[in-house]
């Protein structure tokens, strides 16, 4: 796909507030949307399949997903979500801007780990499931984030950032170990 074609898929919707560029919400296919067409945006997106099965495409590679699966979409990656065999799929979208995790000035963690991950320089499979060795810590961190978002205690944003860093640490430290097979 050339750059001009790629640009037409850019989604301009604002996903996160400016003061804390993080958001999470629940969706259902086909109840909320028949499908989510191919698009990309500047935010990181974590799609957590809560119920049912469906199809998720990341960078034009299609995966069959089911309850419990986690899909990690990097900034700028083309992705889409669709129904599988008339089944209903409920999923949680977690979206955040990479700026949420960057310190001002020189930031070793950002330069050495986070930006290589977000730019696609590190070899990660976008789909994490219960057969993935590092699935438990990623799931635990996401569940903690969900719990914090439900309760919203004072300073919960600090803990959300800490859990996002934990997820990124898990992904970066396990690069190349996830071997999920695409369906195409």
């Amino acid at each position: 796909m050339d750059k001009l074609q790629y640009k037409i898929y850019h989604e301009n919707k604002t996903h996160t507030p400016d003061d804390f560029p993080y958001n999470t919400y629940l969706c259902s296919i086909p109840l909320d949307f028949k499908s989510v067409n191919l698009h990309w945006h500047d935010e990181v997106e974590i799609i957590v399949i809560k119920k049912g099965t469906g199809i998720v495409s990341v960078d034009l590679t299609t995966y069959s997903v089911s309850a419990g699966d986690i899909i990690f979409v990097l900034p700028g990656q083309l992705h889409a979500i669709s129904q599988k065999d008339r089944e209903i799929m409920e999923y949680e979208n977690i979206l955040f801007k990479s700026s949420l995790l960057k310190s001002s000035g020189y930031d070793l963690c950002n330069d050495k780990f986070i930006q290589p991950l977000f730019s696609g320089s590190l070899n990660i499979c976008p789909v994490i499931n219960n057969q993935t060795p590092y699935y438990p810590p990623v799931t635990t961190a996401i569940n903690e984030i969900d719990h914090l978002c439900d309760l919203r205690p004072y300073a919960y944003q600090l803990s959300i950032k800490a859990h996002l860093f934990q997820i990124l640490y898990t992904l970066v430290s396990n690069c190349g170990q996830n071997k999920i097979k695409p369906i195409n």
Side-chain angles (χ1 to χ4, degrees):
M1 176 178 299
D2 66 34
K3 285 188 177 194
L4 184 58
Q5 285 178 308
Y6 174 77
K7 279 188 161 191
I8 65 170
Y9 292 105
H10 186 239
E11 181 180 67
N12 292 314
K13 178 181 176 186
T14 301
H15 293 284
T16 61
D18 291 333
D19 61 342
F20 187 68
Y22 173 91
N23 195 10
T24 183
Y25 50 89
L26 296 174
C27 297
S28 177
I29 288 190
L31 302 178
D32 293 326
F33 316 103
K34 183 175 178 166
S35 65
V36 177
N37 293 330
L38 192 65
H39 70 286
W40 65 274
H41 41 72
D42 295 324
E43 293 86 3
V44 176
E45 183 171 349
I46 303 172
I47 304 166
V48 183
I49 310 304
K50 296 294 190 178
K51 293 180 184 175
T53 62
I55 304 292
V56 175
S57 173
V58 179
D59 271 349
L60 306 178
T61 301
T62 304
Y63 301 90
S64 178
V65 296
S66 59
D69 291 353
I70 301 163
I71 301 87
F72 198 81
V73 181
L74 301 171
Q77 280 188 314
L78 288 167
H79 57 287
I81 306 171
S82 58
Q83 192 174 18
K84 179 180 179 183
D85 302 328
R86 298 187 174 273
E87 291 197 36
I88 295 173
M89 181 175 73
E90 294 179 17
Y91 61 97
E92 174 185 16
N93 261 352
I94 298 171
L95 292 128
F96 63 93
K97 291 183 180 174
S98 59
S99 62
L100 177 67
L101 305 178
K102 184 170 181 352
S103 302
S104 63
Y106 175 72
D107 184 337
L108 173 107
C109 292
N110 184 68
D111 293 353
K112 190 169 181 178
F113 308 113
I114 295 173
Q115 283 313 307
L117 174 65
F118 290 169
S119 71
S121 298
L122 300 179
N123 183 22
I124 67 160
C125 177
V127 179
I128 301 166
N129 67 22
N130 63 6
Q131 301 299 307
T132 307
Y134 52 90
Y135 178 80
V138 173
T139 302
T140 298
I142 290 170
N143 289 340
E144 288 294 323
I145 288 171
D146 288 345
H147 183 70
L148 287 162
C149 287
D150 287 344
L151 299 178
R152 295 188 183 260
Y154 181 72
Y156 74 99
Q157 297 93 334
L158 289 171
S159 191
I160 286 176
K161 284 179 75 165
H163 289 295
L164 290 174
F165 277 121
Q166 187 63 42
I167 291 168
L168 297 181
Y169 162 75
T170 301
L171 292 174
V172 170
S173 65
N174 288 283
C175 283
Q177 293 186 26
N178 190 355
K179 308 292 186 211
I180 303 296
K181 302 282 189 248
I183 59 173
N184 54 336

